[in-house]
Amino acid sequence: MTRHRKNHLTFSTTVLLTLTIGSLGMVRCSWDEVQERGYGTMREHQTQRCLDDPSQAPSNCVEQQPYESYQRERSIPPGSPSRVQ
């Protein structure tokens, strides 16, 4: 076997092993967990952008809606009288 072919097989095996392990890790996460992590990442990004803005007071940046509250608000149909604006 040539050295190039051996390196290609090693690379292919590594990629396949990485994808398999990654897939097994994703199976353990429920869709709700994926959404909550995504929301947390978005909140962290927004907080950092707020903190980087010199016109914003830092105290304004840390007060953000928790995920559970966000989910409850999302479940209320738009235009409903109970929806908080």
Side-chain angles (χ1 to χ4, degrees):
M1 193 179 306
T2 66
R3 183 177 183 163
H4 175 73
R5 181 161 169 82
K6 184 177 178 183
N7 286 342
H8 179 71
L9 286 174
T10 303
F11 176 75
S12 297
T13 304
T14 303
V15 169
L16 181 62
L17 184 59
T18 302
L19 289 173
T20 302
I21 290 171
S23 297
L24 290 173
M26 288 299 291
V27 168
R28 292 186 51 214
C29 294
S30 71
W31 180 240
D32 290 335
E33 290 172 323
V34 171
Q35 288 180 316
E36 187 169 355
R37 288 180 184 168
Y39 180 78
T41 301
M42 180 195 66
R43 265 186 43 194
E44 289 171 11
H45 177 72
Q46 287 177 337
T47 299
Q48 189 59 51
R49 284 184 62 197
C50 182
L51 291 170
D52 291 343
D53 184 351
S55 68
Q56 294 289 331
S59 60
N60 294 340
C61 299
V62 293
E63 294 279 333
Q64 291 196 15
Q65 185 178 30
Y67 180 73
E68 292 78 19
S69 174
Y70 166 75
Q71 279 298 90
R72 276 193 303 275
E73 186 177 302
R74 265 186 82 203
S75 68
I76 300 171
S80 173
S82 60
R83 185 147 194 160
V84 178
Q85 292 288 333

